[in-house]
Amino acid sequence: MKPRAASRSRRTLIKAGGTLLLSVFASVPARAAQILAVRVWPAEDYTRVTLENDSNLKATHFIVKDPERLVVDIEGLELNQTLKELVAKIQSNDPYIRQVRVGQNRPNVVRLVFDLKEEINPQVFTLAPVGEYRHRLIFDLYPVAPPDPILALIEKGEWTRAPQAETPAVPETKPVPETARSEAAEDKPQALTRMVTIALDPGHGGEDPGAIGRRGSREKDVVLAIAKRLKQRIEQQPNMRVMLTRDGDYFVPLHVRVQKARKVQADLFVSIHADAWIEPTARGSSVFALSEKGASSTAARWLANKENAADLIGGVNIRTHDKQLASVLLDLTTTAQINDSLKVGRAVLAELGGINRLHKQAVEQAGFAVLKAPDIPSILIETAFISNPEEEAKLTDDDYQDKMADAVFKGIRKYFAKNPPLAKNRMT
């Protein structure tokens, strides 16, 4: 065979082989994504449905009326047993979902149909892998008309009218030095001139478990239990009322926690945590306030960065996150707010020292996002280190939770005895 003819034959064979390989690869179907876990987080604020999977999923959705339904089509997916388990995870007391139906709508497309109890405003978005989570497809079902936070508390019987006859503060016929007023307050607490509103913020929740102890205790559960005990003590006071930023196991974004406190015109914001440290020997209780000029210690900075990452783990829809609000809150944060926060922080820290070893003897400061309400004294309490086996055991003990709630309450009460809140427009 001549060289030129042989060359043409080789090229023909190579082309044929390439075509054959392409046809083989084309005949191999693309591997469908796998659903690894399904989770449902019902709450009065909203219901979240999470599909955790091994790759990024594309979903489209639409609303069907009469009756109300949310239809979601997920591409690149074949129905598996894990996804079928979603049906049984819908609880009868879910505020927004009556039931869900799951089926293979067409090849490589799974359809979810949520039968709804009322009209909703859905948010459907994806989250990139973070921490121990893989890719997540999120469905957040919000009510079209969000409940008014004060009206909701009134309906629960947790929000009473302020006293009609207000007792004036300690009467003064002439100016009294600040030191004299403080000393008088220590001897006999001042009468408050109006109802004091306190926002309690149990950290983490829902998709975000917070720190986890060696025995499996979850921070989100421990701090909610302590917050509920503290709430009971505050409610027993005739001149105090309280709001929880979350009262169940669901995720609340950091900026929404601040918004909730501002909507009820809170006089104090208390965020409750039980964090972990890289060493299991770390122990003790701490109190933190906001800092505009950097953290007071390396540990405080590390902790603030860790707590501020809660939105990434819990899952915030970045398309709806109010970035402008975050900047406004930072810009408006005043020295007065921080000073008041340090005062209440010191009062609470002193009481915590009576029931547990203190990790730091002074109130620390760092840039915690959840403490950035411009007009509300705000503190963050680390009740103990859940990463310390001894303190983990305490945190899950009813008696210790009661002591922690008592200590925080005493600190709050002492702060307001010395620093009565300024008059506001009286609300129901």
Side-chain angles (χ1 to χ4, degrees):
M1 182 180 292
K2 294 181 179 180
R4 185 175 295 178
S7 177
R8 281 200 299 268
S9 297
R10 283 195 297 271
R11 286 199 298 269
T12 301
L13 286 172
I14 291 171
K15 286 182 179 179
T19 302
L20 179 61
L21 285 172
L22 287 173
S23 64
V24 169
F25 284 121
S27 64
V28 176
R31 187 183 71 84
Q34 294 294 311
I35 299 296
L36 306 176
V38 293
R39 296 182 289 275
V40 182
W41 309 100
E44 292 185 12
D45 290 22
Y46 71 107
T47 289
R48 167 169 288 191
V49 177
T50 301
L51 306 185
E52 188 174 357
N53 44 88
D54 62 355
S55 62
N56 192 29
L57 296 177
K58 181 181 179 182
T60 57
H61 67 280
F62 56 92
I63 294 289
V64 179
K65 298 289 185 181
D66 301 322
E68 293 284 333
R69 283 157 288 165
L70 170 65
V71 181
V72 181
D73 286 338
I74 308 173
E75 299 180 16
L77 192 62
E78 296 294 328
L79 189 60
N80 68 358
Q81 185 57 40
T82 302
L83 188 53
K84 290 180 181 178
E85 293 172 1
L86 179 62
V87 174
K89 288 184 179 288
I90 304 300
Q91 302 175 20
S92 60
N93 62 348
D94 189 298
Y96 305 108
I97 303 175
R98 192 177 306 280
Q99 65 177 4
V100 64
R101 290 170 280 146
V102 183
Q104 194 75 44
N105 182 256
R106 55 189 186 275
N108 253 17
V109 177
V110 166
R111 171 166 287 187
L112 310 181
V113 179
F114 295 93
D115 295 318
L116 305 171
K117 294 181 177 179
E118 64 176 73
E119 189 178 2
I120 57 99
N121 178 22
Q123 293 183 14
V124 180
F125 57 98
T126 58
L127 295 171
V130 62
E132 297 182 358
Y133 288 126
R134 301 286 296 277
H135 294 271
R136 285 175 289 172
L137 177 61
I138 303 290
F139 314 112
D140 283 349
L141 281 56
Y142 288 90
V144 170
D148 178 86
I150 297 178
L151 182 60
L153 292 172
I154 292 174
E155 291 175 347
K156 290 181 181 180
E158 297 177 355
W159 194 269
T160 56
R161 292 182 179 273
Q164 294 299 311
E166 295 185 340
T167 305
V170 175
E172 299 174 343
T173 56
K174 59 181 179 180
V176 177
E178 182 66 29
T179 54
R181 288 201 297 268
S182 299
E183 291 171 358
E186 291 179 0
D187 294 335
K188 184 178 180 180
Q190 290 172 312
L192 299 176
T193 60
R194 64 174 177 82
M195 294 288 282
V196 176
T197 303
I198 299 171
L200 299 182
D201 175 51
H204 309 281
E207 289 287 291
D208 176 18
I212 299 177
R214 289 191 174 186
R215 301 180 183 180
S217 306
R218 301 181 301 185
E219 180 181 5
K220 67 175 183 177
D221 300 326
V222 167
V223 298
L224 180 60
I226 293 173
K228 287 183 174 180
R229 293 173 190 267
L230 177 55
K231 178 176 179 286
Q232 292 174 352
R233 285 152 177 78
I234 295 173
E235 287 175 331
Q236 293 172 0
Q237 304 302 302
N239 53 10
M240 290 186 175
R241 52 194 174 191
V242 64
M243 181 271 294
L244 290 175
T245 59
R246 71 174 179 97
D247 57 5
D249 188 10
Y250 57 96
F251 172 69
V252 181
L254 298 176
H255 73 285
V256 175
R257 296 169 187 264
V258 178
Q259 286 177 343
K260 285 188 170 188
R262 301 190 77 213
K263 283 181 179 178
V264 298
Q265 296 187 14
D267 298 294
L268 175 64
F269 180 91
V270 180
S271 193
I272 303 173
H273 294 257
D275 207 13
W277 186 247
I278 51 179
E279 296 293 338
T281 54
R283 61 182 300 170
S285 302
S286 305
V287 177
F288 296 83
L290 182 65
S291 171
E292 289 184 295
K293 301 177 181 179
S296 56
S297 69
T298 302
R301 182 183 301 108
W302 180 88
L303 182 61
N305 290 337
K306 187 172 181 293
E307 296 296 356
N308 291 347
D311 279 354
L312 297 176
I313 299 170
V316 170
N317 184 0
I318 58 174
R319 288 174 295 180
T320 61
H321 189 275
D322 195 338
K323 294 182 179 179
Q324 183 179 3
L325 171 66
S327 64
V328 168
L329 291 181
L330 182 60
D331 293 341
L332 292 180
T333 300
T334 63
T335 302
Q337 188 262 33
I338 294 177
N339 286 341
D340 286 338
S341 300
L342 291 170
K343 288 179 183 178
V344 66
R346 285 191 286 266
V348 170
L349 190 66
E351 296 298 328
L352 292 178
I355 66 163
N356 194 31
R357 178 177 178 178
L358 295 180
H359 186 66
K360 294 287 185 179
Q361 297 298 315
V363 178
E364 294 204 80
Q365 293 180 258
F368 292 91
V370 80
L371 301 183
K372 291 181 179 178
D375 47 358
I376 306 173
S378 303
I379 60 171
L380 185 145
I381 300 172
E382 291 292 350
T383 54
F385 282 92
I386 203 169
S387 54
N388 181 303
E390 182 181 339
E391 294 204 332
E392 180 186 8
K394 284 184 177 181
L395 287 167
T396 56
D397 179 72
D398 289 343
D399 184 57
Y400 182 80
Q401 289 184 0
D402 278 332
K403 289 179 179 178
M404 179 61 62
D406 285 336
V408 176
F409 172 67
K410 289 177 182 177
I412 291 173
R413 190 171 57 182
K414 286 185 176 181
Y415 165 76
F416 280 114
K418 294 182 179 180
N419 305 274
L422 298 176
K424 293 181 183 177
N425 293 329
R426 188 185 294 126
M427 298 184 298
T428 56

